[in-house]
Amino acid sequence: MDQGEKIQLKRVFGYYWGTNFLIINIIGAGIFVAPKAVLEYSRMNVGFSLCIWGVCAVLTMMNSLCFAEIGVTFPCSGAHYYFLKRCFGSLIAYLRLWTALFVGSGVVASQALLLAEYSVQPFYPSCSAPKLPKKCLALAMLWIAGILNCRGVTEVSWLQTVSTVLKMAILGLISLSGVVLLLRGRRENIEPLQNAFDAEFPDASQMIEAVFQGYFAYSGGECLTYVAGELKKPRKTIPKCVFTAIPLVTVVYLLANISYLAVLTPREILSSDAVAIAWTDKVFPSLTWVVPFAISASLFSNLMINVLESSREIYIASEEGQLPLLFYMLNVHSSPLMSVLLIVIMASIVIVLTSLIDLINYLYFVISFWSALTMIGILKLRYQEPNLPRPYKVFSPFILITMAISLCLVVIPLVKSPNMHYIYVLLFVLSGLLFYIPLIHFKLRMVWFEKMTCYLQLLFNICFPDASDEQMSEIEIVKKVTL
């Protein structure tokens, strides 16, 4: 180890990085394909579908601001985990962690497989690509993302910036082209928007489904709580990033949808699996390859960011004593190497056994439950600890609306398509008790694991983070204030 430099998660990122981080989390492949689903559930009512995108933006802003309060109140990496532990105790936090371990690995594996599919499919134009090349490429991409994360945040930051520029350039091209086409005043471009509300309005259930489809395209607004411990002045930076990124993404999404509708008819949009590719075929046929490339770049950057986020949650859980201390150790690049390796290894297993992805998908409704519980926790903590320093305090109705949306995401799938898989998911979440009771509650000591920890510490050249006044855990500061 280099004795001249302290090993710790450093606060090295500022406002611009945080804004890029938030944008890259929200803008995934969704905007290239989701307009089809929103328009379908809007019953091809063009005006109503655009209103849905606006409503989803407002809901996303509310959700992001709720999590921003958590991030500025407890500005540490994995703040949402610590928040649940403080509000509801060790057991609830552990079950949330237990769920996140598998959901995070499943999301990472799904992104790697989708990235591989977009990359391999051009070599098989007339048929589906074989599974073996896709799995091999997915594993390669996953481990590249893991290695880059293990080398610290510098490479991740650089690639994140490049990816953000690429995404915004592609969406900017689509948006500005649509504006130019509308300004030209051609009838075929203007007519769909002139008669935007002429089609039949959807019923209540279809409206709700359309909102959910658009809401998923905006998902990721809570991501800054994962890296709050690596942001400079997080109590000022997090709200500023939210108020910058969400409106910017909203404008880009709305302009992109208007551009799609100016070029493609509603029926053409519904018949396309990737709306952006169909749009490019009509406007810039020679650049059709650009959109799959942009989607691949988006997925790779999102893959890297998801590995980073999941590793930070494992890191803070280890610090809080709910995972082995091995995952709290950092390497010479100040990266939680063992936490990154755990996510990569688990995601690799999921890629090899792709049938697991179907089961992991059912865990998403549990994540919505944890989100609702988090909103309850914000209200609970305000009542129990009114003097807790809160540099930013979200408007209370926003908390209630976000809670209602999260509960709908839990209840509606259960009512709409009751399935035994949800029982299996509940049993899986409760299976975390098999580890919690002996290892956390009774603090069972495993000598063999302690010996293995020492061996792995020497093998990977990792150590516990250094303590310093500058990087003193802000959780400890909060604890002192409230004692």
Side-chain angles (χ1 to χ4, degrees):
M1 292 284 185
D2 183 2
Q3 299 298 322
E5 184 178 355
K6 292 188 175 181
I7 306 299
Q8 55 196 203
L9 288 183
K10 301 179 178 65
R11 296 196 183 278
V12 294
F13 299 126
Y15 164 71
Y16 292 107
W17 186 91
T19 303
N20 283 340
F21 187 81
L22 189 51
I23 289 173
I24 208 171
N25 264 274
I26 295 174
I27 302 179
I31 187 56
F32 300 109
V33 294
K36 171 184 175 179
V38 174
L39 189 61
E40 180 181 0
Y41 286 107
S42 299
R43 301 191 71 170
M44 293 194 292
N45 189 310
V46 170
F48 186 81
S49 70
L50 292 176
C51 292
I52 290 294
W53 285 100
V55 169
C56 292
V58 173
L59 294 176
T60 300
M61 176 64 84
M62 293 179 185
N63 178 70
S64 301
L65 291 176
C66 291
F67 280 92
E69 179 174 330
I70 295 173
V72 300
T73 306
F74 307 104
C76 63
S77 296
H80 57 290
Y81 161 81
Y82 175 79
F83 171 79
L84 283 175
K85 187 170 183 286
R86 186 183 182 109
C87 284
F88 301 106
S90 179
L91 175 60
I92 296 297
Y94 185 84
L95 292 179
R96 165 66 176 83
L97 173 67
W98 177 254
T99 306
L101 275 174
F102 292 90
V103 172
S105 302
V107 170
V108 167
S110 300
Q111 288 177 334
L113 285 167
L114 191 57
L115 170 60
E117 186 170 350
Y118 271 101
S119 303
V120 171
Q121 191 57 51
F123 297 99
Y124 299 87
S126 58
C127 61
S128 298
K131 288 185 178 180
L132 183 59
K134 286 195 290 188
K135 287 189 177 184
C136 291
L137 183 58
L139 288 170
M141 292 293 185
L142 172 62
W143 281 91
I144 289 172
I147 290 169
L148 289 173
N149 269 282
C150 290
R151 291 192 55 80
V153 293
T154 304
E155 286 84 355
V156 176
S157 177
W158 182 80
L159 286 170
Q160 172 192 320
T161 302
V162 172
S163 177
T164 303
V165 171
L166 178 62
K167 286 180 180 181
M168 297 306 287
I170 297 297
L171 290 172
L173 175 65
I174 293 173
S175 302
L176 293 177
S177 299
V179 171
V180 170
L181 290 171
L182 291 175
L183 291 176
R184 284 182 179 179
R186 292 181 180 176
R187 182 180 176 184
E188 63 270 20
N189 300 132
I190 297 176
E191 189 174 4
L193 298 172
Q194 282 181 331
N195 306 312
F197 291 94
D198 284 355
E200 187 178 353
F201 276 81
D203 58 34
S205 63
Q206 290 173 322
M207 288 181 187
I208 293 172
E209 193 66 45
V211 169
F212 287 162
Q213 293 294 331
Y215 191 60
F216 281 124
Y218 280 100
S219 62
E222 71 281 358
C223 64
L224 289 174
T225 60
Y226 288 90
V227 294
E230 293 164 82
L231 292 173
K232 297 176 183 176
K233 300 178 180 179
R235 291 176 169 172
K236 293 182 179 179
T237 301
I238 291 176
K240 285 172 62 179
C241 291
V242 171
F243 282 115
T244 302
I246 304 296
L248 180 60
V249 171
T250 301
V251 170
V252 171
Y253 273 19
L254 286 173
L255 287 176
N257 276 280
I258 290 172
S259 183
Y260 292 151
L261 292 164
V263 174
L264 303 169
T265 66
R267 293 194 180 279
E268 286 175 329
I269 292 176
L270 294 185
S271 63
S272 173
D273 291 329
V275 180
I277 294 177
W279 181 94
T280 309
D281 283 335
K282 278 201 168 187
V283 182
F284 300 110
S286 60
L287 298 180
T288 303
W289 59 273
V290 172
V291 174
F293 175 72
I295 294 175
S296 297
S298 298
L299 287 170
F300 184 71
S301 59
N302 285 29
L303 175 65
M304 289 190 60
I305 293 301
N306 270 288
V307 172
L308 184 146
E309 291 175 352
S310 299
S311 66
R312 276 17 180 207
E313 187 166 18
I314 295 171
Y315 173 85
I316 188 67
S318 179
E319 181 184 17
E320 290 293 310
Q322 292 204 327
L323 284 176
L325 285 174
L326 175 66
F327 301 111
Y328 181 55
M329 297 182 185
L330 304 176
N331 63 7
V332 292
H333 302 290
S334 296
S335 171
L337 182 140
M338 298 309 297
S339 297
V340 173
L341 284 181
L342 177 63
I343 290 296
V344 172
I345 290 170
M346 290 178 66
S348 299
I349 294 171
V350 175
I351 288 173
V352 174
L353 305 173
T354 48
S355 59
L356 290 177
I357 292 180
D358 295 330
L359 294 176
I360 289 172
N361 286 338
Y362 283 95
L363 288 172
Y364 278 111
F365 94 100
V366 182
I367 293 299
S368 298
F369 169 77
W370 293 123
S371 179
L373 194 64
T374 300
M375 297 305 109
I376 295 171
I378 294 175
L379 298 174
K380 179 175 182 285
L381 205 62
R382 283 185 182 183
Y383 175 76
Q384 290 183 335
E385 302 183 46
N387 297 323
L388 187 70
R390 293 178 177 88
Y392 170 77
K393 197 171 180 180
V394 69
F395 189 42
S396 295
F398 288 2
I399 302 173
L400 298 175
I401 293 171
T402 303
M403 186 194 310
I405 292 292
S406 299
L407 289 174
C408 285
L409 290 171
V410 175
V411 173
I412 288 177
L414 294 175
V415 174
K416 189 176 180 180
S417 56
N419 196 311
M420 280 298 294
H421 283 93
Y422 293 115
I423 303 297
Y424 300 150
V425 166
L426 177 62
L427 293 175
F428 168 77
V429 173
L430 294 178
S431 69
L433 295 172
L434 297 176
F435 295 88
Y436 176 82
I437 292 173
L439 300 178
I440 309 300
H441 184 73
F442 290 108
K443 299 180 180 179
L444 180 65
R445 185 181 176 187
M446 296 182 291
V447 178
W448 64 270
F449 190 83
E450 293 176 359
K451 292 181 179 179
M452 186 177 73
T453 298
C454 293
Y455 173 75
L456 292 174
Q457 186 177 358
L458 293 172
L459 178 65
F460 291 107
N461 194 24
I462 54 179
C463 66
F464 292 109
D466 295 318
S468 70
D469 294 335
E470 179 184 2
Q471 187 61 23
M472 178 182 178
S473 171
E474 302 220 29
I475 293 177
E476 295 299 325
I477 296 175
V478 171
K479 286 179 179 177
K480 290 178 181 179
V481 171
T482 53
L483 283 177

